[in-house]
Amino acid sequence: MSFDLGVWAVPQPISDAQAMRIYEELCEENAASVRDDPGVQRFAQTLLEQFPALEDLADEQIEASPWSVSP
């Protein structure tokens, strides 16, 4: 099983449709609808500390990684 995950912060709840629009923009590498958020940055840093990006792994470690591509 695989899935894509998008993480961003908003100051107030948004609708499913708004979230989908932002997610699709982020998938296209367009971050105009979101702003930098220290909490999201800390989350990403913690995640990569626990599960390093593929390019940071030795060849023999790649099979054990949860990533199919680096985040």
Side-chain angles (χ1 to χ4, degrees):
M1 176 174 95
S2 69
F3 61 93
D4 295 325
L5 178 65
V7 179
W8 67 92
V10 291
Q12 59 209 19
I14 60 176
S15 71
D16 291 347
Q18 290 169 311
M20 180 57 78
R21 182 183 53 76
I22 292 171
Y23 177 77
E24 289 171 345
E25 289 175 4
L26 292 172
C27 287
E28 294 172 0
E29 298 184 18
N30 175 5
S33 296
V34 298
R35 59 184 172 169
D36 286 340
D37 182 270
V40 173
Q41 292 173 356
R42 283 190 304 275
F43 171 75
Q45 181 181 5
T46 301
L47 189 64
L48 286 170
E49 286 170 2
Q50 186 167 356
F51 304 105
L54 294 175
E55 59 270 12
D56 296 333
L57 298 174
D59 289 342
E60 60 273 4
Q61 296 174 307
I62 290 177
E63 282 295 316
S65 175
W67 307 120
S68 61
V69 296
S70 288

